[in-house]
Amino acid sequence: MMFFPSNLTKKMKRKDKVYSKLKVLTESIDIHKFKFNGEKIGFDAEFIGNAVRVNRNNTSTELNRLVKEGKILKIKGKPVLYLEKSSIENKLKRRIENNIYESYEEFLKLLNMHNKRQEILDSELSFQSDVNLISTFENSSIKSALDTIIGAEDSLKLQIDQAKAAIIYPPHGLHTLLTGPTGVGKSMFAEAMYKYAIQIGKLPQNAPLVVFNCADYAENPQLLLSHLFGHTKGAFTGADKEKNGIINQANGGILFLDEVHRLPPEGQEMLFLLMDKGIYRRMGEEENIHKAQILIIAATTEEPQKVILHTFLRRIPVIIKLPPLSERTLKERMMLICRFFYEESERVKVPIKVSKEILKALMLYDCPGNIGQLKSDIQLICARAFLDHINHKNNIVEVKLSHISNIIREGLFKIDKKRAEIVRGFNLIGGEDLVFDAHKVSLSDNFYGQLLVDDYRTREDFYALIQNSWNEFSKKGLSNSEIKERMDRQIQEYFNNYLNKFKRQEKDENDLLSKVVSPKVLAIVEEIFSDLQNSIVDPLNHKVIYGLALHVETLLERLKIGTIISHPDKKSIIKEHPAEYKLACQIKEKLELKLNINIPEDEAAYIAMFLYAVKPEKNKGTIGVLVLAHGPSTATSMVRVTNSLLGVDYAHAIDMPLDEKVDVALEKAIEKVKIINKGKGVLLMVDMGSLVTFGEVITERTGIDTRTVEMVSTPMVIEATRKALIPSMNLDMLVEDVVNLSPLIGKRHDLINFEAISNKGERFFEGILIDTLDKTLTFLNPKKAYKSLKSTLEKILEALSLPLDKEINVKFILHCACMLERVIKGEALPYKKLDSLIKENLSLFNIIKKHFKPLGEIFGVSIPDTELAYVLEIFEAHFNTLVNVK
């Protein structure tokens, strides 16, 4: 840095220069500040010499002369510090006898002697004022800028606490360094700290926040320092007028130095005086010193110890490390995704529709650029979708799979690894696409609530689960017994997941309960169970008591606002769960008495369902499923398809070659039944002949309960296996459901009879297929996949002048849905002799390819000919079946 001393300075003697500069420096000191925070005051010979352009040795000589003359104070140590005496006397309002101090500690005694009691009182009053102000704000219902950061109560909790402490610390806060890789949100975090300082009153409303990226001028240190500190006229070539720097602009507020590691060493050193003493000089200045009260927040992507001067780091007491996106929770990542789509809808002023499979992909793909890249990727996706919106003149921007990049699409392949976490934390199975419309709805209320599962409250979710499920299953045409079976399973899963949240955080369960349940309600529920302990056949542990307490808390909230919910089938609950209903009525009566309220009669049915859902299972185990069929691989083929579709390894198979003796097959079956029996018996699914009699023999010889269903088909095996996995299922129920309920069951093995199905049955059939797809597909929306595939099938059959047949409908949709996922994953199947197949069936192949092209566009993939060859085989087999039937 260049200095240009004035003519007056040149004519002064060396000693006078030194004395004059030291006097100016000393007068700029705020003694109260340094006494409070413990920083040293004083200036060493090297610093003073640089300021007056005199070498260190000559400066030291002149300083010692001035000490002897009694004009300055000398404080021994490393380094030796000097102060102009009369300035200090004026600040202390007293005369100073000693000119030399053996240590800084000795000099501090001089400072502490000055009106010590008043200083302590002033400091305490100032600190108490800050504490009162902050306490008032923190206890208000308004969330601070720091508390609204996504992750403030989770992965960023420590960082938020550090940031608050840095802002709150008296008297003016603590300089802070934010570290972390590119894109983690350092700039946003710094802005939140600034807003927090204003919210709690540490900074006035008009306090400035000045942002300076040190990388912008890293290649030109002189220009960088000019922007920071300002310069005088003539300070360097091109400086034709005076200019204030950003430090002047930031006075009274916060200066954010982004990429501070790009600040050259001389720039870091020039900040020392500002950070230590609140003063600075513009470039080219010799005499003038400017004051500035600034809180510095710096940021770097590098290891601070490797790229920043140690002496600079020493002056930054708070270092906050922000984690990369990979270390943030999936919940936080989903909230960020929703926020960015919401912001884009605000920018384009058009609603944006996004499917849940795309949200899953964004939630799971590798995003090395962190939050910054995630936001950019979403902006690019919306830009592509917006272009389609303009071209097609739709009233909504619809984001499709074709709009996302291959890198983002790879996130879909990770769903299996994260499936348990996704199920626990998100409502992403099925359901409608999300529409982000910033001009009509609130982000938090309408999206976080739809997608995120609340960790601690049931609120109305339990009631919504029952009512919505009842309505949904009724629309699908399910029978009453099928509806109850499905709802029982859903309720069981819901409360198991719900109570498991307490198991995962057992040490903190009392703290969790205190947040959502009043002590009075918990005490009453515990008292009720204590009073009713003789009526309870199965002992209920404290987890169940806690769960019911939360349930009651929700009930009270609903009653307060006048919300009454009717149970859709109270009569069935009374009939099928009499013990639980009787206990629920007793609980209801005691709650009314102890809480002095009236509870609707239907509430007893809900409580009974709760008690039924959480009671311990007496009959452990599941039903085994064994398929036996003639032929070299008939049974194996059906089981392989079933297990693959359901994502399990549960159903078992025994193939019986046509030349194999019956007694050999029987022995195989007996041994297999012994292995797969899990305590609730085994369902034998057979095709014909002697296999039908195996069940009775196996039960007689092993004592294992068995049932037999004949004329087996692949859809039957799928249905039986799916229902066998239900904990409450028994053998007789399973047989009844498989034979009487499933529309996939017919009288023949090779051709399924669907003609007798009513319109209600049609809806049920569709529901079963979609339900199977839901359990099969990794990421595709099952409803969308079913609708698109059925439309494609209808168009192909129309081109072939053939009616829609339910058998080919099942085969086509199940096969093609799995095929689409294979193609998206880049795992398309090869096909031997592809050319010869196409040549022999060119007309049919062209029809299939023509109608699969728009399907590929819908899902953003290009379907290869090898996969279309397998689709062609489905139609060939279907033609052969029709010919044989005729």
Side-chain angles (χ1 to χ4, degrees), residues 433-656:
D433 296 341
L434 267 72
V435 178
F436 296 89
D437 189 349
H439 298 281
K440 288 187 178 180
V441 294
S442 160
L443 176 63
S444 58
D445 293 341
N446 289 275
F447 298 108
Y448 298 163
Q450 286 183 42
L451 291 173
L452 306 179
V453 174
D454 193 336
D455 283 343
Y456 307 124
R457 278 191 184 268
T458 59
R459 291 194 179 273
E460 67 277 6
D461 293 350
F462 176 55
Y463 303 94
L465 171 73
I466 294 171
Q467 288 192 314
N468 293 342
S469 296
W470 191 276
N471 294 334
E472 181 183 347
F473 295 149
S474 296
K475 288 178 182 177
K476 287 182 177 180
L478 274 65
S479 68
N480 286 338
S481 58
E482 177 72 3
I483 290 174
K484 285 195 282 288
E485 176 259 302
R486 289 194 175 201
M487 288 184 64
D488 280 348
R489 183 178 63 185
Q490 282 194 353
I491 293 168
Q492 184 80 36
E493 291 174 353
Y494 179 84
F495 280 107
N496 282 345
N497 289 335
Y498 173 60
L499 293 176
N500 282 341
K501 295 180 188 300
F502 286 104
K503 294 176 184 177
R504 292 196 299 271
Q505 305 185 45
E506 192 153 347
K507 293 181 181 179
D508 302 318
E509 61 188 15
N510 290 328
D511 291 337
L512 296 176
L513 279 171
S514 66
K515 294 179 181 179
V516 292
V517 178
S518 68
K520 179 182 178 181
V521 168
L522 181 59
I524 287 174
V525 172
E526 288 178 333
E527 184 180 344
I528 288 172
F529 275 105
S530 177
D531 293 343
L532 296 175
Q533 59 183 342
N534 294 329
S535 303
I536 301 174
V537 177
D538 298 311
L540 300 176
N541 60 34
H542 65 292
K543 306 290 184 189
V544 178
I545 294 174
Y546 291 164
L548 186 61
L550 286 164
H551 181 71
V552 172
E553 187 81 20
T554 303
L555 166 65
L556 295 177
E557 290 179 8
R558 288 189 295 103
L559 293 177
K560 283 179 184 177
I561 61 176
T563 303
I564 306 298
I565 296 181
S566 300
H567 195 283
D569 194 13
K570 184 172 68 174
K571 291 181 180 179
S572 295
I573 297 297
I574 297 172
K575 180 181 178 181
E576 297 179 14
H577 307 298
E580 288 80 11
Y581 186 76
K582 180 181 178 181
L583 180 58
C585 290
Q586 292 176 289
I587 292 173
K588 171 183 168 295
E589 291 173 3
K590 288 186 176 292
L591 284 171
E592 289 179 320
L593 181 64
K594 294 180 182 296
L595 293 171
N596 193 28
I597 57 173
N598 291 319
I599 299 176
E601 292 295 327
D602 284 27
E603 185 60 38
Y606 283 110
I607 296 176
M609 293 183 75
F610 175 95
L611 295 173
Y612 171 71
V614 299
K615 76 175 184 178
E617 286 287 333
K618 289 182 178 179
N619 193 5
K620 299 292 183 183
T622 52
I623 300 169
V625 175
L626 177 60
V627 180
L628 302 99
H630 291 83
S633 62
T634 306
T636 300
S637 176
M638 286 186 279
V639 165
R640 183 170 60 248
V641 171
T642 296
N643 287 337
S644 175
L645 288 177
L646 297 181
V648 298
D649 186 17
Y650 190 81
H652 298 269
I654 293 179
D655 295 312
M656 183 179 176

Side-chain angles (χ1 to χ4, degrees), residues 639-707:
V639 165
R640 183 170 60 248
V641 171
T642 296
N643 287 337
S644 175
L645 288 177
L646 297 181
V648 298
D649 186 17
Y650 190 81
H652 298 269
I654 293 179
D655 295 312
M656 183 179 176
L658 296 177
D659 58 352
E660 186 174 72
K661 293 182 179 179
V662 174
D663 56 347
V664 173
L666 177 60
E667 291 302 323
K668 289 181 181 178
I670 290 173
E671 293 305 312
K672 180 64 74 172
V673 166
K674 289 179 181 178
I675 294 171
I676 67 175
N677 176 43
K678 302 299 180 182
K680 298 181 83 173
V682 176
L683 177 67
L684 303 179
M685 308 189 75
V686 304
D687 59 350
M688 59 185 178
S690 58
L691 297 178
V692 176
T693 64
F694 275 20
E696 294 179 5
V697 178
I698 291 172
T699 299
E700 183 180 343
R701 288 178 54 177
T702 65
I704 296 172
D705 199 12
T706 64
R707 298 289 187 278

Side-chain angles (χ1 to χ4, degrees), residues 195-233:
K195 290 178 180 178
Y196 178 73
I198 291 177
Q199 286 175 324
I200 66 172
K202 288 294 288 186
L203 291 177
Q205 290 291 329
N206 61 349
L209 170 65
V210 179
V211 178
F212 183 75
N213 193 319
C214 301
D216 291 344
Y217 305 97
E219 305 304 322
N220 191 335
Q222 190 177 59
L223 187 58
L224 185 151
L225 297 178
S226 171
H227 275 281
L228 265 178
F229 297 96
H231 60 255
T232 61
K233 183 178 180 180

